[in-house]
Amino acid sequence: AQKVTQAQTEISVVEKEDVTLDCVYETRDTTYYLFWYKQPPSGELVFLIRRNSFDEQNEISGRYSWNFQKSTSSFNFTITASQVVDSAVYFCALSEGSGGTSYGKLTFGQGTILTVHP
Amino acid sequence: DTGVSQDPRHKITKRGQNVTFRCDPISEHNRLYWYRQTLGQGPEFLTYFQNEAQLEKSRLLSDRFSAERPKGSFSTLEIQRTEQGDSAMYLCASSTSTTGWETQYFGPGTRLLVL
């Protein structure tokens, strides 16, 4: 069975600090997909980034970057120069797939509450 | 693209009553998912449809829960004889599987409170 663990329950930073959110996953599949979602106080989950298991290349997109390491089953997410508007709950999620097509069903971690103070 | 919409946004009901929620996916998205999220937890998968076919149901989905997606467009989730433990946020998401690289987009959710 697949499992996602976000060990950090809450993180508090001051604006402009960099912050890294940790995610560790478990799966028996060799093909899988990893995601990060943001849930602001309004409640709607907002898609941020995704990565498939074939590609360990780490990327940067604006203020977001991620570090995917299959050897440690980790998919960490970094926000550079945090802003107050980044305050939200962040979820890491996993879906298993085969043949290049995701099975779709997402397994979420418990979330990390990020508070960015002015 | 208009996003995923859900109705109602909030529902308060008494224990034992039936409730029905509606989800309208992003147009042309062939997959639709329902999740449930309780306070302080991540969303948990309930069920999903590909077009009008319900392809998978979680063990979380008791006999009191039923979901439909007639004609492969909008979906409804009905809870019969509600219990206080059903109080949660019910989230709907849609995606397309045609590209083989699927990202789910979520609606704003329906927050249910059972008194």
Side-chain angles (χ1 to χ4, degrees):
Chain A
Q2 48 189 352
K3 183 179 178 182
V4 176
T5 302
Q6 295 178 250
Q8 304 154 308
T9 305
E10 292 190 52
I11 298 177
S12 182
V13 299
V14 177
E15 207 169 19
K16 299 184 182 176
E17 285 185 22
D18 298 346
V19 56
T20 295
L21 309 179
D22 297 334
C23 173
V24 174
Y25 61 91
E26 295 177 28
T27 178
R28 287 178 289 190
D29 259 21
T30 55
T31 301
Y32 51 89
Y33 302 81
L34 295 161
F35 303 81
W36 276 95
Y37 283 86
K38 171 183 179 180
Q39 190 173 42
S42 61
E44 184 168 343
L45 278 162
V46 178
F47 165 71
L48 296 176
I49 60 172
R50 65 187 179 201
R51 175 58 59 195
N52 68 57
S53 56
F54 315 126
D55 184 0
E56 288 191 72
Q57 182 178 356
N58 296 311
E59 294 186 18
I60 297 173
S61 176
R63 294 189 298 111
Y64 299 154
S65 63
W66 49 97
N67 186 339
F68 174 38
Q69 293 192 343
K70 287 178 75 170
S71 60
T72 56
S73 297
S74 65
F75 184 53
N76 298 335
F77 174 62
T78 297
I79 303 174
T80 301
S82 59
Q83 301 173 2
V84 173
V85 293
D86 295 327
S87 297
V89 184
Y90 289 80
F91 290 99
C92 180
L94 164 72
S95 72
E96 293 173 336
S98 177
T101 301
S102 169
Y103 290 152
K105 175 177 68 177
L106 290 171
T107 298
F108 286 86
Q110 290 194 308
T112 298
I113 302 171
L114 173 64
T115 303
V116 182
H117 298 281
Chain B
D1 259 344
T2 56
V4 178
S5 62
Q6 292 186 244
D7 184 68
R9 295 290 305 277
H10 302 272
K11 179 71 177 179
I12 300 175
T13 190
K14 292 182 180 179
R15 189 176 52 186
Q17 298 294 306
N18 299 343
V19 295
T20 300
F21 309 141
R22 175 177 170 129
C23 171
D24 286 273
I26 294 172
S27 60
E28 298 178 0
H29 274 191
N30 62 337
R31 285 190 174 181
L32 187 148
Y33 298 80
W34 286 99
Y35 293 84
R36 181 171 68 187
Q37 184 180 21
T38 53
L39 201 60
Q41 303 295 316
E44 295 177 294
F45 169 78
L46 292 178
T47 187
Y48 94 95
F49 294 83
Q50 181 154 307
N51 300 312
E52 64 275 9
Q54 188 173 17
L55 296 187
E56 187 174 350
K57 293 193 292 186
S58 163
R59 290 173 298 169
L60 292 175
L61 214 64
S62 75
D63 292 344
R64 297 183 298 104
F65 287 70
S66 63
E68 294 183 342
R69 193 184 182 197
K71 302 179 183 177
S73 55
F74 71 92
S75 175
T76 58
L77 177 69
E78 180 183 17
I79 309 174
Q80 296 182 325
R81 303 181 305 280
T82 52
E83 301 173 355
Q84 288 183 327
D86 297 331
S87 296
M89 173 83 92
Y90 290 84
L91 294 163
C92 175
S94 72
S95 68
T96 177
S97 62
T98 54
T99 62
W101 184 221
E102 179 181 356
T103 296
Q104 293 178 34
Y105 295 91
F106 284 80
T110 295
R111 191 174 295 278
L112 172 67
L113 177 62
V114 181
L115 301 176

